[in-house]
Amino acid sequence: MTTGASATGALSAPLVVEFPFTRSLGPVQSAFLTGLRERTVLGVTAADGRTLVPPVEYDPVTAQELRTLVEVEPTGTVTTWTWNPAPRRGQPLARPFAWVLVRLDGADSALLHALDAPGGPASVRTGMRVRIRWAAERHGAITDIACFEPLDAGPADEDPPTAQPRPHDGEFADPVTGITAPARLDYTYTPGRAQSRFLAALRDRRTLGERCPACRKVYVPPRGACPTCGVATDEQVELGPAGTVTTFCVVNIKAKGLDIEVPYVYGHIALDGAGLALHGRIAGIPYDEVRMGLRVEPVWTEDSRYPDHYRPTGEPDADYESYKELL
Amino acid sequence: MSDDRPNGAAGAGGSREVAVVAFAQSDHVRRADGLSEAEMLLPVVREVLDRTGLDTERLGFVCSGSSDYLAGRPFSFTMALDAVGAWPPVSESHVEMDGAWALYEAWVKLLTGEADTALVYSWGKSSGGDLPEVLTRTLDPYYLAPLWPDSVAVAGLQTRALLDAGITDERELAGVAARSRNAAAANPRAQLRSSPPPEELLADDYLAEPLRRHDLPPVTDGAAAVVLAAGDTARELCARPAWIRGMDHRIEAHSPGVRDLTDSPSTRLAAERAGLFDEGAPAPDTAELHAPFTAQEVILRRALRLGEDTVVNPSGGALAANPVMAAGLIRIGEAADRVLRGTSRRAVAHATSGPWLQHNLVAVVEADEAASAPGTDGGADAAQAREESR
Amino acid sequence: MSSTGKEPVAVVGVGQTRHAAARRDVSLAGLVREAALRALEDAGADWADIDAVVIGKAPDFFEGVMRPELYLADALGAVGKPMLRVHTAGSVGGSTALVAANLVAARVHRTVLTLAFEKQSESNAMWGLSLPVPFQQPLLAGAGGFFAPHVRAYMRRTGAPDHIGAVVACKDRRNALKNPYAHLHEEDITLEKVRSSPMLWDPIRYAETCPSSDGACAMVLTDRTGAGRAPGPAAWVHGGAMRSEPTLFAGKDAVSPRAGSDCAADVYRQAGITDPRREIDAVEMYVPFSWYEPMWLENLGFAEPGEGWRLTESGATALDGDLPVNPSGGVLSTNPIGASGMLRFAEAALQVRGRAGEHQVKDARTALGHAYGGGSQFFSMWLVGDRPPAG
């Protein structure tokens, strides 16, 4: 993980949010996307008789369910466009292209997609005639349309054909009922100045809390504000290193992406001097002997930002009364 | 619509008046250096509470607006509550929308009579992600989002439609950009506070034809907070409450292909419901419009029927500072703040949400006795406001 | 605050989807639509009768759509209308209903459609809940491990015997057999089966945890006039409140959070309830892990501190007890996260309308709907009755 620190010493690090979402389609979207796989473009007849392409499940004006499918042409007219000089990850084309809304012949609404325009923005204009360029491999997704491409210019350019939508039953063999939509977004996470101070001290194996100037409670990890008083905390207080297990659970299921052998004990640990418990793993003792009130201390390892775990100090257990307010 | 009241807002509660009594915002910057959301929010919340002398215990309601997708973390709003000091526990809610809608929810709460005061806040730390790319995730997940059309593409398609229709031209759009950023010279919180003249802007290359860089908002980290109060409480808390005379919001269909991208019927309808066009009502002297892209201001001016008498975006608007999820609340705050300071008698504020201005909110805020005839102080103040904004 | 002149709010339509681990037969729009249409049908209403839509769900990351209400506007007949999107973590379904109720109470609108949903099968809630955050030590995945230490603290504090959690799980799953919409229908559930199911986060066993569901819930809320026109009986809102406290703070009582008890007290005050145990006929409370039933019984004032488990053990909270809790089967049987809170509110309404079918509590006239979320920090509740509020 590449982490950074700003002029104020505040930390940041990359945060990737990525998941292949699995989307079920419902009947209309299923027919449309299956149709694309078969190089067939379907629309739906709206309540006012318009043909909507792409077909929507519910009427944009009346909200009524739409199910009457029709077929339209793979050619159409650009209704508006904008140039994209630097395509991003996931966009239809890797080289500069135009985003376009295209009203396909036979349709009354427009579909958003990319237009491959090797001639650059000067070659694109509203009203130009285009046709679908099909993807070589099609699976039943909007990306089965690779993009649009210009239709050879001609007289028709000025006067698009008045194609009529044709009835279609929407039936295909082996219909597509779902799509997988991978999505990755890259963030830079900033834990904040207070947490950065806390993390910096951890590097020296010291746990620093911060005291609220109003209620005098000590927060660990500090979060920049006393959450009950709504004021900034800035007085640093060194805590522990020992503390008391206030409560815990024994974890018996292995979580994906978590490199901890089960069973293990996940505990709430009130470090001496802290106003509330922090969370950590408790080890160095059989898991079924961990108990509330157990006195523990941190165990550090070379490569870890946090204590690897907490182990018993050997002191007598803390009295319930002494930590019950910290539960 | 079956709602047979001519004005949903005016009919509301009947007797309760609600006003903005304080507004605060952070410095708007490209990157809030090292601050967590709560740390960015804390001084702003403190400022409105200190200014009104309210503490958490006296707040009748708290409502915020933000987006997990900006933060990159689910439940991101839960830790932001740290900035409020929510103890003893507060009556509190959150919308996954721009803070303008949090203010709407709070306004409704006050109209019910269940609360007399409300704290509204919102924040956006756009620097955490690649904002244009993040915003692709607001689109229809079957037909649009898989193509990853970013917010610049979305704006470009709308701008082109407007240019093609002959409703505006590139010279006017450059004028919107220059006017907005030069107006922000008077707004110390804004991010972009000056602009070359339109002719110079037009000499630039296209960023993404038909858009030049000046047509786009900056990417901004920022936060804002507002205190609302009802009736006499509002009068106790400040000298010149900014009374919310009406507020309404409307959404449109999602798919761009079924909409007329050159118009904003939802803005017009919301404005009508908010009482902007009421017979005999004077034109607003001030408008704060949430138009992150230059062409959107043109669409909104037309929908709101704004003329020469109205100063648009004296704060600089979203073109001068665009903390996503807070930029709409800031429009209401800025409009109200002018009333609070006595430089506006009747202002209209607008917030938008979603692609292609899909969802729009309109609020009309007024000083006491705003209906006084033209030529009175109101007119003079408005003239002064126009002067200030130049 | 006594004389607010609020418009009374009536629930005249309730609808929910069939809930399942994966509703692969519908899109996101199709899912919400199923609940919405059932609510409209129940209310005898059409899309044109709806003045505004208030929608809620848990984090957008669960479906990977940022502010999905924008795309759902068409499916929910919201075009040309106001649409609000609420997100208050697990309590969101309840909060969403309360925001909608306030629109009617404030006379901003006459008739409002409110809806909450989650389609967990579009991703994986475990993933959505446990995205790794830089600089934080990865210790856990999922909500069970987060809540298990609090359950242990409850057991320590009250001396509750080990089997109480199983009693709740068994009861709720049996109740779900009478609810055709419920996700889990475990015909052969027994106390012994629950007690012998794997211990996941000791002291929480597998059978004591909620499932992951796809589902939606919708309600039509209206004013006095609207209730008069509705074909069926109304449930009337007698009190509603939200309360929040910080996620983690010095002095927090995670077992019985003050935000929860304050919220309940506010609702009871509005409704004129002084003895909830006696005056409330049915409770739909948010119990994602079985032990939360005795915990919330205390927090909500149905039992003295330390005595909640005795109420559960006594059978009072069973469908035929004197304080039935979760007659629908509750969150333990159906958990479309964002909708789970609204299901509690809606099931409470069904009870006082006499429309709960096989899981109807006999003569239920007053019912409480309860939801919570975040780190036991966000609460929303409403109390509904079969008659309009006095005044």
Side-chain angles (χ1 to χ4, degrees), chain B residues 352-378:
Chain B
T352 195
S353 172
W356 298 287
L357 297 173
Q358 190 191 344
H359 190 184
N360 295 284
L361 177 146
V362 176
V364 176
V365 291
E366 290 179 349
D368 274 316
E369 297 158 45
S372 54
T376 62
D377 285 3

mmCIF file of all heavy atoms in Angstrom, chain B residues 352-378:
data_model
loop_
_atom_site.group_PDB
_atom_site.id
_atom_site.type_symbol
_atom_site.label_atom_id
_atom_site.label_comp_id
_atom_site.label_asym_id
_atom_site.label_seq_id
_atom_site.Cartn_x
_atom_site.Cartn_y
_atom_site.Cartn_z
ATOM 1 N N THR B 352 -29.893 21.237 -7.608
ATOM 2 C CA THR B 352 -30.166 20.183 -8.570
ATOM 3 C C THR B 352 -29.494 18.882 -8.156
ATOM 4 O O THR B 352 -28.564 18.876 -7.356
ATOM 5 C CB THR B 352 -29.726 20.588 -9.995
ATOM 6 O OG1 THR B 352 -30.326 19.689 -10.942
ATOM 7 C CG2 THR B 352 -28.202 20.506 -10.155
ATOM 8 N N SER B 353 -30.001 17.787 -8.678
ATOM 9 C CA SER B 353 -29.485 16.465 -8.356
ATOM 10 C C SER B 353 -29.637 15.574 -9.578
ATOM 11 O O SER B 353 -30.641 15.665 -10.289
ATOM 12 C CB SER B 353 -30.281 15.892 -7.174
ATOM 13 O OG SER B 353 -29.932 14.542 -6.935
ATOM 14 N N GLY B 354 -28.649 14.749 -9.803
ATOM 15 C CA GLY B 354 -28.769 13.783 -10.890
ATOM 16 C C GLY B 354 -28.280 14.335 -12.211
ATOM 17 O O GLY B 354 -27.979 15.512 -12.351
ATOM 18 N N PRO B 355 -28.200 13.452 -13.231
ATOM 19 C CA PRO B 355 -27.682 13.860 -14.527
ATOM 20 C C PRO B 355 -28.684 14.742 -15.281
ATOM 21 O O PRO B 355 -29.891 14.601 -15.114
ATOM 22 C CB PRO B 355 -27.488 12.523 -15.247
ATOM 23 C CG PRO B 355 -28.496 11.605 -14.625
ATOM 24 C CD PRO B 355 -28.592 12.031 -13.188
ATOM 25 N N TRP B 356 -28.156 15.627 -16.101
ATOM 26 C CA TRP B 356 -29.010 16.461 -16.971
ATOM 27 C C TRP B 356 -30.087 17.203 -16.178
ATOM 28 O O TRP B 356 -31.250 17.234 -16.580
ATOM 29 C CB TRP B 356 -29.657 15.592 -18.067
ATOM 30 C CG TRP B 356 -28.678 14.954 -18.984
ATOM 31 C CD1 TRP B 356 -27.958 15.600 -19.957
ATOM 32 C CD2 TRP B 356 -28.293 13.579 -19.051
ATOM 33 N NE1 TRP B 356 -27.143 14.688 -20.595
ATOM 34 C CE2 TRP B 356 -27.325 13.450 -20.080
ATOM 35 C CE3 TRP B 356 -28.654 12.437 -18.347
ATOM 36 C CZ2 TRP B 356 -26.729 12.247 -20.416
ATOM 37 C CZ3 TRP B 356 -28.064 11.235 -18.669
ATOM 38 C CH2 TRP B 356 -27.110 11.141 -19.688
ATOM 39 N N LEU B 357 -29.737 17.720 -15.011
ATOM 40 C CA LEU B 357 -30.711 18.470 -14.199
ATOM 41 C C LEU B 357 -31.974 17.636 -13.985
ATOM 42 O O LEU B 357 -33.080 18.134 -14.124
ATOM 43 C CB LEU B 357 -31.076 19.807 -14.860
ATOM 44 C CG LEU B 357 -29.959 20.850 -15.056
ATOM 45 C CD1 LEU B 357 -30.480 22.027 -15.893
ATOM 46 C CD2 LEU B 357 -29.423 21.370 -13.735
ATOM 47 N N GLN B 358 -31.814 16.399 -13.598
ATOM 48 C CA GLN B 358 -32.988 15.516 -13.497
ATOM 49 C C GLN B 358 -33.938 15.928 -12.381
ATOM 50 O O GLN B 358 -35.152 15.802 -12.491
ATOM 51 C CB GLN B 358 -32.559 14.052 -13.281
ATOM 52 C CG GLN B 358 -33.730 13.077 -13.412
ATOM 53 C CD GLN B 358 -33.406 11.667 -12.961
ATOM 54 O OE1 GLN B 358 -32.248 11.302 -12.808
ATOM 55 N NE2 GLN B 358 -34.431 10.866 -12.746
ATOM 56 N N HIS B 359 -33.392 16.402 -11.288
ATOM 57 C CA HIS B 359 -34.197 16.638 -10.081
ATOM 58 C C HIS B 359 -33.871 18.041 -9.574
ATOM 59 O O HIS B 359 -32.700 18.371 -9.399
ATOM 60 C CB HIS B 359 -33.806 15.584 -9.035
ATOM 61 C CG HIS B 359 -34.695 15.541 -7.850
ATOM 62 N ND1 HIS B 359 -34.451 14.719 -6.784
ATOM 63 C CD2 HIS B 359 -35.834 16.206 -7.537
ATOM 64 C CE1 HIS B 359 -35.398 14.864 -5.870
ATOM 65 N NE2 HIS B 359 -36.246 15.764 -6.299
ATOM 66 N N ASN B 360 -34.887 18.848 -9.372
ATOM 67 C CA ASN B 360 -34.638 20.241 -9.039
ATOM 68 C C ASN B 360 -35.493 20.728 -7.885
ATOM 69 O O ASN B 360 -36.675 20.393 -7.782
ATOM 70 C CB ASN B 360 -34.884 21.121 -10.275
ATOM 71 C CG ASN B 360 -33.884 20.799 -11.381
ATOM 72 O OD1 ASN B 360 -32.730 21.176 -11.323
ATOM 73 N ND2 ASN B 360 -34.336 20.028 -12.365
ATOM 74 N N LEU B 361 -34.860 21.547 -7.051
ATOM 75 C CA LEU B 361 -35.527 22.112 -5.878
ATOM 76 C C LEU B 361 -35.460 23.634 -5.980
ATOM 77 O O LEU B 361 -34.433 24.179 -6.384
ATOM 78 C CB LEU B 361 -34.820 21.621 -4.609
ATOM 79 C CG LEU B 361 -35.307 22.147 -3.251
ATOM 80 C CD1 LEU B 361 -35.166 21.045 -2.186
ATOM 81 C CD2 LEU B 361 -34.573 23.391 -2.796
ATOM 82 N N VAL B 362 -36.562 24.273 -5.630
ATOM 83 C CA VAL B 362 -36.609 25.740 -5.665
ATOM 84 C C VAL B 362 -37.150 26.244 -4.339
ATOM 85 O O VAL B 362 -38.159 25.739 -3.831
ATOM 86 C CB VAL B 362 -37.495 26.247 -6.823
ATOM 87 C CG1 VAL B 362 -37.612 27.767 -6.777
ATOM 88 C CG2 VAL B 362 -36.938 25.790 -8.168
ATOM 89 N N ALA B 363 -36.452 27.217 -3.763
ATOM 90 C CA ALA B 363 -36.915 27.858 -2.528
ATOM 91 C C ALA B 363 -36.977 29.357 -2.749
ATOM 92 O O ALA B 363 -36.113 29.933 -3.407
ATOM 93 C CB ALA B 363 -35.961 27.532 -1.384
ATOM 94 N N VAL B 364 -38.014 29.971 -2.208
ATOM 95 C CA VAL B 364 -38.130 31.420 -2.249
ATOM 96 C C VAL B 364 -37.938 31.933 -0.825
ATOM 97 O O VAL B 364 -38.650 31.508 0.086
ATOM 98 C CB VAL B 364 -39.505 31.858 -2.788
ATOM 99 C CG1 VAL B 364 -39.641 33.379 -2.741
ATOM 100 C CG2 VAL B 364 -39.704 31.338 -4.212
ATOM 101 N N VAL B 365 -36.954 32.765 -0.632
ATOM 102 C CA VAL B 365 -36.712 33.337 0.699
ATOM 103 C C VAL B 365 -36.900 34.843 0.653
ATOM 104 O O VAL B 365 -36.546 35.496 -0.329
ATOM 105 C CB VAL B 365 -35.309 32.987 1.245
ATOM 106 C CG1 VAL B 365 -35.196 31.510 1.568
ATOM 107 C CG2 VAL B 365 -34.211 33.401 0.291
ATOM 108 N N GLU B 366 -37.469 35.372 1.719
ATOM 109 C CA GLU B 366 -37.802 36.792 1.733
ATOM 110 C C GLU B 366 -37.492 37.409 3.088
ATOM 111 O O GLU B 366 -37.561 36.745 4.121
ATOM 112 C CB GLU B 366 -39.302 36.989 1.477
ATOM 113 C CG GLU B 366 -39.724 36.668 0.063
ATOM 114 C CD GLU B 366 -41.233 36.868 -0.141
ATOM 115 O OE1 GLU B 366 -41.950 37.049 0.862
ATOM 116 O OE2 GLU B 366 -41.652 36.833 -1.289
ATOM 117 N N ALA B 367 -37.212 38.710 3.051
ATOM 118 C CA ALA B 367 -37.151 39.481 4.277
ATOM 119 C C ALA B 367 -38.577 39.770 4.723
ATOM 120 O O ALA B 367 -39.524 39.606 3.954
ATOM 121 C CB ALA B 367 -36.409 40.786 4.029
ATOM 122 N N ASP B 368 -38.747 40.196 5.953
ATOM 123 C CA ASP B 368 -40.075 40.621 6.392
ATOM 124 C C ASP B 368 -40.603 41.693 5.464
ATOM 125 O O ASP B 368 -39.839 42.520 4.973
ATOM 126 C CB ASP B 368 -39.986 41.179 7.823
ATOM 127 C CG ASP B 368 -40.097 40.050 8.838
ATOM 128 O OD1 ASP B 368 -40.973 39.185 8.659
ATOM 129 O OD2 ASP B 368 -39.297 40.023 9.785
ATOM 130 N N GLU B 369 -41.895 41.666 5.206
ATOM 131 C CA GLU B 369 -42.562 42.679 4.371
ATOM 132 C C GLU B 369 -41.882 42.825 3.014
ATOM 133 O O GLU B 369 -41.634 43.924 2.543
ATOM 134 C CB GLU B 369 -42.591 44.039 5.068
ATOM 135 C CG GLU B 369 -43.381 44.027 6.351
ATOM 136 C CD GLU B 369 -42.943 45.176 7.243
ATOM 137 O OE1 GLU B 369 -42.801 46.295 6.716
ATOM 138 O OE2 GLU B 369 -42.754 44.950 8.449
ATOM 139 N N ALA B 370 -41.556 41.700 2.427
ATOM 140 C CA ALA B 370 -40.868 41.754 1.141
ATOM 141 C C ALA B 370 -41.763 42.269 0.036
ATOM 142 O O ALA B 370 -41.291 42.706 -0.997
ATOM 143 C CB ALA B 370 -40.361 40.375 0.774
ATOM 144 N N ALA B 371 -43.054 42.192 0.290
ATOM 145 C CA ALA B 371 -43.978 42.556 -0.779
ATOM 146 C C ALA B 371 -44.085 44.071 -0.982
ATOM 147 O O ALA B 371 -44.870 44.528 -1.784
ATOM 148 C CB ALA B 371 -45.349 41.970 -0.492
ATOM 149 N N SER B 372 -43.286 44.858 -0.246
ATOM 150 C CA SER B 372 -43.382 46.304 -0.385
ATOM 151 C C SER B 372 -43.084 46.717 -1.824
ATOM 152 O O SER B 372 -42.373 46.053 -2.556
ATOM 153 C CB SER B 372 -42.400 46.977 0.575
ATOM 154 O OG SER B 372 -41.111 46.454 0.368
ATOM 155 N N ALA B 373 -43.646 47.869 -2.179
ATOM 156 C CA ALA B 373 -43.618 48.290 -3.582
ATOM 157 C C ALA B 373 -42.197 48.556 -4.053
ATOM 158 O O ALA B 373 -41.327 48.894 -3.264
ATOM 159 C CB ALA B 373 -44.461 49.554 -3.737
ATOM 160 N N PRO B 374 -41.986 48.419 -5.360
ATOM 161 C CA PRO B 374 -40.668 48.740 -5.895
ATOM 162 C C PRO B 374 -40.334 50.200 -5.582
ATOM 163 O O PRO B 374 -41.229 51.026 -5.447
ATOM 164 C CB PRO B 374 -40.823 48.525 -7.397
ATOM 165 C CG PRO B 374 -42.112 47.802 -7.585
ATOM 166 C CD PRO B 374 -42.939 48.005 -6.362
ATOM 167 N N GLY B 375 -39.095 50.497 -5.483
ATOM 168 C CA GLY B 375 -38.703 51.861 -5.181
ATOM 169 C C GLY B 375 -38.464 52.073 -3.707
ATOM 170 O O GLY B 375 -37.934 53.090 -3.303
ATOM 171 N N THR B 376 -38.904 51.132 -2.884
ATOM 172 C CA THR B 376 -38.617 51.233 -1.449
ATOM 173 C C THR B 376 -37.199 50.737 -1.196
ATOM 174 O O THR B 376 -36.449 50.464 -2.124
ATOM 175 C CB THR B 376 -39.598 50.373 -0.638
ATOM 176 O OG1 THR B 376 -39.403 49.016 -1.040
ATOM 177 C CG2 THR B 376 -41.028 50.787 -0.869
ATOM 178 N N ASP B 377 -36.888 50.540 0.067
ATOM 179 C CA ASP B 377 -35.552 50.063 0.440
ATOM 180 C C ASP B 377 -35.166 48.806 -0.316
ATOM 181 O O ASP B 377 -34.018 48.628 -0.662
ATOM 182 C CB ASP B 377 -35.491 49.753 1.947
ATOM 183 C CG ASP B 377 -35.432 51.041 2.737
ATOM 184 O OD1 ASP B 377 -35.494 52.105 2.091
ATOM 185 O OD2 ASP B 377 -35.334 50.969 3.968
ATOM 186 N N GLY B 378 -36.192 47.963 -0.503
ATOM 187 C CA GLY B 378 -35.918 46.690 -1.170
ATOM 188 C C GLY B 378 -35.227 46.910 -2.501
ATOM 189 O O GLY B 378 -34.229 46.265 -2.821
#
